[in-house]
Amino acid sequence: MEIQSVGVVGAGQMGSGIAHVFALAGFDVLMTDISQQALDKALATIERNMERQVSRGKISAEDKAAALGRIRTTQRLADLGQCDLIIEAATERETVKQAIFEDLVPHLKPETILTSNTSSISITRLASRTDRPEKFMGFHFMNPVPVMQLVELIRGIATSDETYQTLLKVVERLGKTAASAEDFPAFIVNRILMPMINEAVYTLYEGVGNVESIDRSLKLGANHPMGPLELADFIGLDTCLAIMNVLHEGLADTKYRPCPLLVKYVEAGWLGRKTGRGFYDYRGEVPVPTR
């Protein structure tokens, strides 16, 4: 199947990034969100990020204008029904994702492929709530989408090879690289990354080091571009906790138990950069460690 029109559900950080790369690659994009304010903010973010690419010589001003012209927005989920491919990029909560797919299904063309940008939730289980499990896949982009090269492709138990091959071609057209993962909790990237972040939080919780010393150790001692606590703030501590809970519940192994300090930060609403406070306080000119 030839994919030309793409529907993106959710206009947050991931949804806007996904719309950005698809529009630049020549796809027609229809982005939806329940909030018009979120849609307006997403368009402004996409324009700003494309302008940054223009200033760095990555794309031309003509490329930017053409790509922005290919993005439309709507608050009506049903409007996405005629798209060839739909990518759900809503909150990392299974009940929310299931409700979106159940609302979408009556409006879809028979050949439409459904995908989820979930970073950890079972693709097989999400697919089972639709009328087309063979045309359903995990399509997991990394944040920030315009910069990161990897896309995880996750097949559910019923996903057809035709669906997988179609999405493989889409990833190639985006100029990104695909990694195939089996449908187990958190797939590949987050199965390895999140326990590392959780262990860094335990290291802080147990007083082995403070925020600054933990991040400095991994940056200079393991050559990581960002420290694990800085990275957790960038991802969002609520997202980190949600993925750790999926790992803990899905694999029933105590090594995936979320650190109580991570839970405490999320309970406080200190979710990282997006709320102004996490393991660092971002409200001043320079981020300051909170522990």
Side-chain angles (χ1 to χ4, degrees):
M1 181 185 170
E2 192 63 37
I3 304 292
Q4 185 48 44
S5 56
V6 179
V8 179
V9 182
Q13 197 172 31
M14 294 305 293
S16 64
I18 291 165
H20 174 140
V21 297
F22 271 91
L24 264 184
F27 294 90
D28 298 318
V29 178
L30 181 57
M31 182 166 48
T32 186
D33 199 285
I34 52 171
S35 158
Q36 185 59 47
Q37 187 182 0
L39 289 167
D40 294 342
K41 185 181 173 188
L43 286 174
T45 300
I46 292 167
E47 184 164 12
R48 189 170 63 247
N49 289 340
M50 284 187 186
E51 187 51 47
R52 192 177 293 143
Q53 288 177 299
V54 171
S55 67
R56 291 176 181 168
K58 303 263 187 193
I59 63 172
S60 68
E62 292 76 22
D63 291 336
K64 175 193 166 188
L68 289 173
R70 284 191 281 266
I71 302 173
R72 294 179 299 124
T73 64
T74 178
Q75 282 185 266
R76 282 171 40 85
L77 190 62
D79 291 347
L80 271 61
Q82 293 307 300
C83 293
D84 302 326
L85 167 65
I86 292 175
I87 305 164
E88 170 275 313
T91 309
E92 189 69 358
R93 285 211 305 274
E94 189 165 348
T95 50
V96 172
K97 294 179 186 295
Q98 284 175 347
I100 287 166
F101 289 123
E102 282 169 10
D103 287 349
L104 264 173
V105 162
H107 309 286
L108 299 178
K109 299 189 295 184
E111 62 271 25
T112 298
I113 293 175
L114 285 177
T115 67
S116 176
N117 183 57
T118 178
S119 48
S120 62
I121 296 166
S122 167
I123 298 304
T124 298
R125 204 161 57 232
L126 288 174
S128 72
R129 303 295 287 266
T130 74
D131 65 342
R132 60 195 67 206
E134 72 289 346
K135 287 187 167 67
F136 194 108
M137 271 196 79
F139 207 25
H140 181 215
F141 289 82
M142 308 295 132
N143 187 31
V145 182
V147 176
M148 301 295 277
Q149 282 301 299
L150 186 75
V151 182
E152 276 185 314
L153 292 181
I154 306 103
R155 275 182 274 210
I157 200 168
T159 306
S160 72
D161 193 57
E162 184 187 6
T163 299
Y164 171 74
Q165 294 298 333
T166 300
L167 290 186
L168 205 53
K169 289 193 186 99
V170 169
V171 175
E172 284 169 15
R173 188 170 156 191
L174 294 174
K176 296 193 181 291
T177 302
S180 298
E182 291 302 315
D183 186 21
F184 287 97
F187 320 130
I188 295 172
V189 174
N190 284 314
R191 170 79 178 260
I192 297 166
L193 176 65
M194 285 303 155
M196 184 196 77
I197 287 175
N198 194 51
E199 197 60 32
V201 183
Y202 266 115
T203 307
L204 179 66
Y205 177 61
E206 292 166 6
V208 179
N210 60 23
V211 168
E212 204 167 21
S213 63
I214 292 165
D215 276 353
R216 183 181 293 151
S217 295
L218 268 291
K219 278 156 77 172
L220 302 182
N223 209 25
H224 290 194
M226 292 172 85
L229 301 175
E230 184 187 2
L231 180 57
D233 277 357
F234 180 75
I235 293 166
L237 303 193
D238 52 340
T239 302
C240 294
L241 179 59
I243 296 169
M244 285 310 300
N245 281 329
V246 166
L247 280 166
H248 192 221
E249 290 159 18
L251 298 169
D253 191 325
T254 54
K255 73 178 179 180
Y256 299 114
R257 184 171 69 97
C259 179
L261 185 62
L262 178 60
V263 176
K264 193 66 69 185
Y265 268 70
V266 173
E267 286 174 346
W270 292 18
L271 308 181
R273 283 179 179 269
K274 61 186 171 186
T275 58
R277 268 190 297 192
F279 292 113
Y280 292 85
D281 190 328
Y282 299 92
R283 294 172 299 170
E285 284 184 26
V286 179
V288 179
T290 53
R291 282 179 106 78

